[in-house]
Amino acid sequence: MSDPRHEAARYRISRDHGPDAAEDEQQSGTWSTPEERAAVVEQAIQHAIRRGEFENLPGAGKPLAGLGESHDPDWWIRRKIETENLRGLGPPALALRVESAELEERLDRLTREQDVRDALEDFNARVRHARLQLLGGPPVVTPTRDVDAEIAAWSERREQRREQRREAARQAAEREAAERPPRRFWRRRGR
């Protein structure tokens, strides 16, 4: 039985260098030592470099992300979650920390006070529920939120945004008025 890896290598050689090269490789037999195999691999890499197959690769010339940080056995899943912007995955403790960090932004998108109150009460209930679970994983250190204080802060941020919009509209109106030529009213004299 032949090794599928050798068959794949023969296929690549015949594809890249023509059928004669594949026959030459087949006649020479398989690699007898690791050094021969390394030489063939190095030669294939050099051919690919000359053909330009390694040019314009994504990330070329950029430092490797996360290089030099402490060793994390779950680095690949963390990177996948970050690049794909996945939410709601992982242990509840981590999911609640992320949600807590983004809570103000989420609340600011709401328009009614009752919706804000409901969202805060739901968040607090999930935090309390996660604290009672004994599923393992990191401990839940996310604090619950004071609903009345958060609503007051939400109202203040909302009023600030309204004031900023009013100020921007006023400034735009002033710029428009300054750019517009003055209107002149002429009376027509009777004929």
Side-chain angles (χ1 to χ4, degrees), residues 77 81 86-96 138:
I77 191 66
I81 289 171
L86 301 174
R87 298 286 181 234
L89 299 177
L94 298 179
L96 286 170

Side-chain angles (χ1 to χ4, degrees), residues 161-180:
R161 286 191 309 274
R162 282 183 184 164
E163 191 59 39
Q164 288 171 351
R165 284 193 301 267
R166 284 186 201 126
E167 181 64 24
R170 186 187 62 75
Q171 289 175 355
E174 286 177 0
R175 278 194 306 273
E176 185 179 315
E179 293 171 358
R180 191 174 351 140

Side-chain angles (χ1 to χ4, degrees), residues 111-164:
T111 56
R112 293 181 359 176
E113 184 177 323
Q114 186 58 43
D115 294 340
V116 174
R117 185 175 298 280
D118 292 343
L120 287 166
E121 288 173 356
D122 176 60
F123 175 77
N124 286 341
R126 286 185 288 119
V127 168
R128 284 191 293 272
H129 180 73
R131 287 180 183 165
L132 297 175
Q133 298 300 313
L134 299 174
L135 299 176
V140 179
V141 295
T142 306
T144 57
R145 301 289 183 106
D146 181 8
V147 176
D148 294 328
E150 290 292 329
I151 288 176
W154 170 81
S155 297
E156 186 177 320
R157 289 191 306 270
R158 186 174 180 197
E159 190 56 41
Q160 287 175 352
R161 286 191 309 274
R162 282 183 184 164
E163 191 59 39
Q164 288 171 351

Side-chain angles (χ1 to χ4, degrees), residues 35-97:
E35 290 80 20
E36 288 179 14
R37 181 172 186 225
V40 171
V41 168
E42 183 61 33
Q43 184 180 14
I45 290 172
Q46 293 303 320
H47 287 300
I49 290 171
R50 280 188 230 119
R51 286 191 305 271
E53 293 181 12
F54 293 117
E55 295 175 3
N56 300 324
L57 292 175
K62 298 177 185 171
L64 297 176
L67 192 62
E69 295 177 1
S70 63
H71 176 68
D72 181 11
D74 297 327
W75 65 269
W76 59 275
I77 191 66
R78 290 182 194 277
R79 184 172 297 157
K80 185 69 172 174
I81 289 171
E82 290 170 3
T83 57
E84 300 291 328
N85 198 17
L86 301 174
R87 298 286 181 234
L89 299 177
L94 298 179
L96 286 170
R97 279 189 220 167

